[in-house]
């Protein structure tokens, strides 16, 4: 049958375009950073973070509250939540949301004093007299507060989250790091809960007081508020100097550079540890890195590791 003149030929409509398949790059990056965070927590972060932040666990073991087995779990949950949130913000907004060294130093001093108060309460077994959160919220809030007292390895992971440029990848890196350090914190919490019920509580309190004073001292050092005598300068001033970050500090601890001209400081890493992040000229730098300093006046420039434990000096002349 022939088609009439009135027959309408419909145009061929192409099928709707399918949305592009999601790229696996982001998820792969997040997975890689998560695995790297777990490794950093297990290998390098367990000792340094428990030493720096573990004193806050003392706030959970005074008297009756030390018998709550769930307290350490809530502490770790608060720690995971705060670090994951911080990682997402760092990945989203970059270094704009990271604390400057001076603010971090003040928080270290405050945390150290808080640890001392907790330790004294543990030794005296008296009711809480410090401004602490209510019982129901104390454990997760103390765990969340550990983000304000970062150890050197934490700072390195935070800088990694900043460089990722992705909230998912940044959160994955920080979450992996917290999970890597969780076994050490759980063990420390278990030991503290056991000790708080015995005569060793006073000894544990003394150790905690020392840890609190050490934490406050690192804050004073990081902020430059603790006078540190600079060693005598040695060698001929050079516009490019090399400094090695070791487990025991920076080598050489004192270098000479000419004043009035730009200077390059090449930081290399000999051993992973606290010195892997350096605070110099008011900013945090993850090592290895080359720091280019503008012309400096005659005098001494002090730099310090991210925890305020180890310092080095550059003498400009």
């Amino acid at each position: 049958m022939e088609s009439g003149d009135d027959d309408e030929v419909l145009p061929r409509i192409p099928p709707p375009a399918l949305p592009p398949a999601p790229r696996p790059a982001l998820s792969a990056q997040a997975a890689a950073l998560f695995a790297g965070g777990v490794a950093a927590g297990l290998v390098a972060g367990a000792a340094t973070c428990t030493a720096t932040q573990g004193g806050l666990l003392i706030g959970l073991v005074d008297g009756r509250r030390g018998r709550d087995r769930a307290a350490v779990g809530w502490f770790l949950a608060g720690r995971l939540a705060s670090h994951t949130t911080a990682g997402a913000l760092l990945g989203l907004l970059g270094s704009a949301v990271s604390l400057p060294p001076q603010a971090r130093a003040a928080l270290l001093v405050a945390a150290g004093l808080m640890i001392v108060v907790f330790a004294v309460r543990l030794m005296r077994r008296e009711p809480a007299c410090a401004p602490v959160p209510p019982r129901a919220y104390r454990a997760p809030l103390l765990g969340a507060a550990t983000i304000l007292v970062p150890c050197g390895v934490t700072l390195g992971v935070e800088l990694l989250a900043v460089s990722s440029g992705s909230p998912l990848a940044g959160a994955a890196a920080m979450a992996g790091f917290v999970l890597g350090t969780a076994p050490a914190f759980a063990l420390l919490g278990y030991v503290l809960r056991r000790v708080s019920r015995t005569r060793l509580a006073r000894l544990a309190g003394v150790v905690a007081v020392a840890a609190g004073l050490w934490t406050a001292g690192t804050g004073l050092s990081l902020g430059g508020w603790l006078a540190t005598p600079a060693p005598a300068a040695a060698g001929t001033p050079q516009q490019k100097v090399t400094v090695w970050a070791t487990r025991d500090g920076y080598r050489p601890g004192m270098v000479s550079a000419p004043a009035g001209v730009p200077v390059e400081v090449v930081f290399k890493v000999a051993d992973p540890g606290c010195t892997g992040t350096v605070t110099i000229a008011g900013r945090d730098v993850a090592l290895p890195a080359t720091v280019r300093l503008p012309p400096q006046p005659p005098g001494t420039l002090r730099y310090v590791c991210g925890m305020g434990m180890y310092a080095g000096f550059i003498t400009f002349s």
Side-chain angles (χ1 to χ4, degrees):
M1 182 177 63
E2 296 182 359
S3 59
D5 296 335
D6 294 333
D7 290 347
E8 182 179 0
V9 179
L10 297 178
R12 183 178 181 183
I13 301 175
L18 297 176
R23 292 178 301 177
L26 183 59
S27 59
Q29 180 193 26
L33 290 180
F34 178 81
V38 172
L42 286 172
V43 176
T48 57
C49 285
T50 50
T52 306
Q53 305 169 352
L56 294 174
L57 278 170
I58 294 291
L60 304 180
V61 299
D62 59 301
R64 178 180 70 256
R65 297 183 180 95
R67 292 179 170 84
D68 186 4
R69 295 183 177 181
V72 175
W74 282 112
F75 178 92
L76 294 176
R79 189 166 182 268
L80 176 63
S82 66
H83 281 68
T84 303
T85 302
L89 290 174
L90 288 170
L92 178 64
L93 302 177
S95 58
V97 298
S98 60
L99 290 175
Q102 293 289 327
R104 206 168 64 245
L107 290 172
L108 281 171
V109 174
L113 296 178
M114 182 185 297
I115 292 170
V116 171
V117 171
F118 286 151
V120 172
R121 278 204 350 252
L122 176 65
M123 290 187 291
R124 300 178 63 181
R125 291 182 176 273
E126 291 183 352
C129 58
V132 296
R135 179 183 179 187
Y137 305 104
R138 180 187 298 189
L141 287 182
L142 284 175
T146 57
I147 190 64
L148 303 176
V149 193
C151 68
V153 184
T154 307
L155 292 173
V157 179
E158 288 179 353
L159 292 176
L160 185 63
V162 170
S163 64
S164 70
S166 161
L168 176 61
M174 294 294 285
F177 176 73
V178 171
L179 293 178
T181 59
F185 274 93
L187 178 61
L188 178 61
Y190 174 82
V191 171
L192 288 175
R193 288 193 301 109
R194 292 291 182 180
V195 167
S196 68
R197 309 175 198 177
T198 69
R199 295 180 179 179
L200 294 176
R202 293 184 182 275
L203 177 60
V206 172
V207 174
V209 167
L213 294 176
W214 175 79
T215 300
T218 59
L220 293 173
S221 175
L222 177 61
W225 307 318
L226 187 65
T228 306
T236 303
Q238 300 178 359
Q239 284 187 251
K240 184 176 181 179
V241 296
T242 299
V243 177
W244 287 89
T246 71
R247 290 184 179 273
D248 302 320
Y250 297 100
R251 301 290 183 270
M254 167 65 78
V255 294
S256 298
V261 296
V263 172
E264 282 191 1
V265 185
V266 180
F267 286 98
K268 298 183 178 182
V269 178
D271 303 305
C274 163
T275 54
T277 303
V278 67
T279 299
I280 182 171
R283 59 193 178 100
D284 296 319
V285 179
L287 306 185
T290 297
V291 177
R292 294 173 175 82
L293 298 174
Q296 301 288 316
T300 300
L301 174 66
R302 177 179 178 270
Y303 58 89
V304 65
C305 73
M307 290 176 63
M309 292 176 56
Y310 301 106
F313 302 88
I314 304 174
T315 297
F316 296 93
S317 57

